[in-house]
Structure formats: structure tokens, C-alpha cells
Amino acid sequence: MIQTNQAIKFTGEQQASLVQCDWEPLPLAADEIIGRTIVSLISNGSEMGAYMDYSGGMKYPVETGYAAILEVLEVGEAVTNVGKGEHVLALSPHQAYSRVKFSDYIPVPAGMKPEHAVIGRFPAVSMTSMIHSRIRPTESVMVTGLGVVGLMCAQVMQHCGYEVYAFDPNEGRRATARSCGLRHVYASPDEVPGLKGTAGLAMDCSGREEAVYSLITNLRKGGDLYLIGVPWYRSTEKFAHELLRSIFYGFIQVNSGFEWSLPRHSSEFHPNSSHGSIRKAMEWIRDGLIQVENIYDIYAPSACGEVYAGIADGTLKKTCVIFDWSLV
């Protein structure tokens, strides 16, 4: 019987701690499972928003995290797709135990390493934009920002037949992208003058205005721009006029890259879904079609304070960080 839980929480601005928290001993609902967390993965972009309080007015403490691999401990009587001891990917926070409804987890393909399966959460972020886009393979696509979301985005697009050009000013991130098999990796589009005016699709995963400006000037007429990275704060002094003029005369369609514009689950007339994207992404990782080896570091949850500080100040070298809950 679970008596107490442990969770990583933001206890103040730029403060993260592993804390004890209550576990409510409620009867297990028919459509629920209870799982023990094996690993959980930090979302550098989304979690930094709360950690740094970019928007102002954040009320602490704050629960954080939304990608975890759970080992199933108990199953409700209506649950038929997983059993005790099996693994699921859940949209759960960084905590030792989670209670999850049938509709909120995805079974992990047999034989996958938990630390690989949990990364399957992140290709799905940009797959929403790819599914919505009017631009089809084999056109050129530009991806800016090679954090975990951008790195997964570029690999997914290349696997699906697009000619992918990936950009990031950080040389370490560019080296990681090349090691994952991306063929065209540069610091900025200025290094590829032949691309100007030919790319059909641009996907910004950085959330930075300067990246969006660089993409707009390289799209062909009638191209698509998807804003996937959250623009947490202003990063330039430029006026909007240049951007609006480029959009207007370039006949550019600008779209939100909001992941949840797809339904969570498929239906008869809506076959694409967020859970479907996560499921497919895990399969591609399992089959080696998306590379994830050597893109992450593993830490104990008790090290969360130094981990989030390292992400904030840019001292962590790997693309993403995984917490290993067996160390709790």
C-alpha cells in the first residue's frame, strides 16, 4: 500500500526541490491504473516558463512535468490493454507514483528502454503541425531551434520524406543533430543562400523572434510557417512591420503549432490524434528511425535543483535530461 509520494516541484522562482507529498488512498476506479515512475523527462521549454516565471505572477509551489514511463502496479477492472508489471507512457508530472485514467496513457512497445520510450512524448509536439500543413514531401522544410522538440521535429520530417534544413546557433546542438543523422545542419539560414525563396515549410521550435524573421525571408511564396516554440519573452528590438510586410507579399500562411489542436484520441472521421502521434513516435524510436542515443543525461530526482539551474544558465550539455526514479 502506498502511504506517501515524492514529487519535484518548483517551490519558488528558480527553485526546484524533491518534496514529500500526500498520496490519497482512494479506491481504484474501474478505468484507472496506479503506476510507479521509472523515468520522467524534462521539457526544457514548457518547464522553464514556470521555473523562470517569464509571464510573472506565478503562484508557487508548482507541480511540473508531463512525460513519464510508469510500471503498472494496479489496474482497474475495466482496463484491458495493460497488466501489472507492464510499462506505459503517461502525461504525468515528475513524481514517484501516479494514478492515471485509461484515456491518459499509452502502452510502451515491448522491449523498449524506458529512457528511450519517454522521449516518444516529444516528436508528437511537432507532428501536429506536420499533419495540419498543406506542404507535402518532398519539399524543403526549415526547422529552427534544436532542443529536444526541434531535434525530434527535424528527424520526423526527414523520416517522412521532406528535405530538412535544421538551424541552431549552438554548436553542441548542431553536433548532436548531425550525430542523429540529420544531413543539413547549420547555425542559420544565411549559411545556405541557395535555400532562399525555395522552402515550402518553416517550423520554429525556438520561440525566438529572430528565428522567425530568418525563416520568413527564406520561404517560397505561399509557404507555411508554424510557430511551435512558445515565445516566452521578447528577445529583439525589431518592429513588426518588416515581419508583416514579408508575410503579406509572400502569401505566407502563419499557424500556431499548438500541439493540442489535434484531439487526444482518434475517431472514425478524425484518424490523427495526439496519442496516435506519441504511439507512432515510440515505434519509430524503437525501430531506429528516430535516433535518441546519447542525446540525454540521467540524474537522480534529488538533483533537480542543480538540473533546472543548469538548464536555465545553459551549462548542461546534452539536449535533454531524464530523471531516474529508481534512485529515490
Side-chain angles (χ1 to χ4, degrees):
M1 175 68 72
I2 301 168
Q3 300 295 327
T4 61
N5 205 356
Q6 294 185 76
I8 293 170
K9 294 190 177 183
F10 298 146
T11 53
E13 185 177 336
Q14 299 185 50
Q15 297 175 22
S17 301
L18 180 65
V19 300
Q20 295 283 340
C21 50
D22 293 334
W23 176 265
E24 297 183 15
L26 301 173
L28 188 64
D31 64 344
E32 286 184 327
I33 66 166
I34 291 176
R36 177 183 65 85
T37 303
I38 303 172
V39 294
S40 60
L41 178 63
I42 291 177
S43 171
N44 292 13
S46 296
E47 294 191 55
M48 280 296 104
Y51 178 76
M52 300 295 290
D53 193 15
Y54 288 133
S55 300
M58 184 67 64
K59 297 185 183 302
Y60 297 101
V62 175
E63 184 179 78
T64 187
Y66 59 79
I69 301 298
L70 311 180
E71 177 189 358
V72 179
L73 301 180
E74 298 181 44
V75 298
E77 60 184 19
V79 174
T80 58
N81 64 341
V82 294
K84 291 182 180 180
E86 295 183 331
H87 293 173
V88 299
L89 191 156
L91 310 182
S92 300
H94 300 297
Q95 59 188 32
Y97 297 96
S98 289
R99 181 190 298 265
V100 185
K101 287 190 173 296
F102 174 84
S103 58
D104 291 335
Y105 67 78
I106 303 102
V108 171
M112 281 195 80
K113 294 180 181 180
E115 59 268 30
H116 288 184
V118 74
I119 297 173
R121 172 69 183 80
F122 288 87
V125 176
S126 60
M127 286 169 73
T128 295
S129 298
M130 183 183 72
I131 289 166
H132 285 319
S133 177
R134 303 169 300 116
I135 309 303
R136 300 289 179 254
T138 55
E139 280 209 60
S140 297
V141 57
M142 300 177 290
V143 178
T144 48
L146 295 176
V148 63
V149 171
L151 180 62
M152 294 298 104
C153 174
Q155 290 197 66
V156 166
M157 301 298 282
Q158 182 169 281
H159 169 60
C160 290
Y162 292 89
E163 187 75 11
V164 174
Y165 291 82
F167 305 101
D168 196 290
N170 184 293
E171 171 53 36
R173 286 184 170 186
R174 297 199 301 273
T176 298
R178 294 186 188 103
S179 74
C180 290
L182 291 170
R183 293 187 286 269
H184 308 296
V185 183
Y186 303 93
S188 80
D190 293 339
E191 297 180 18
V192 198
L195 185 63
K196 191 175 183 67
T198 66
L201 176 59
M203 307 179 89
D204 175 57
C205 299
S206 72
R208 302 294 184 89
E209 300 101 301
E210 57 268 35
V212 174
Y213 276 101
S214 71
L215 291 175
I216 284 284
T217 59
N218 284 278
L219 276 171
R220 66 163 173 81
K221 287 188 181 297
D224 276 4
L225 169 65
Y226 278 85
L227 305 177
I228 297 168
V230 178
W232 288 109
Y233 54 87
R234 181 177 178 179
S235 60
T236 74
E237 296 301 318
K238 285 189 174 183
F239 292 102
H241 176 259
E242 178 186 337
L243 184 65
L244 297 177
R245 185 179 177 86
S246 297
I247 291 169
F248 185 87
Y249 286 109
F251 310 103
I252 304 300
Q253 290 202 16
V254 181
N255 309 273
S256 168
F258 182 55
E259 174 187 8
W260 299 107
S261 60
L262 283 180
R264 185 162 293 197
H265 299 282
S266 302
S267 61
E268 184 177 6
F269 293 102
H270 298 280
N272 295 306
S273 67
S274 293
H275 276 216
S277 294
I278 295 172
R279 188 176 296 108
K280 181 57 66 176
M282 284 196 289
E283 292 174 2
W284 286 342
I285 291 170
R286 176 200 62 192
D287 296 341
L289 301 171
I290 297 177
Q291 297 296 319
V292 297
E293 287 284 5
N294 302 317
I295 73 167
Y296 55 86
D297 277 327
I298 297 178
Y299 287 83
S302 58
C304 60
E306 66 179 87
V307 167
Y308 284 102
I311 294 171
D313 64 22
T315 56
L316 293 186
K317 301 303 182 185
K318 292 294 180 72
T319 304
C320 52
V321 172
I322 293 173
F323 289 122
D324 180 353
W325 287 85
S326 70
L327 302 175
V328 173

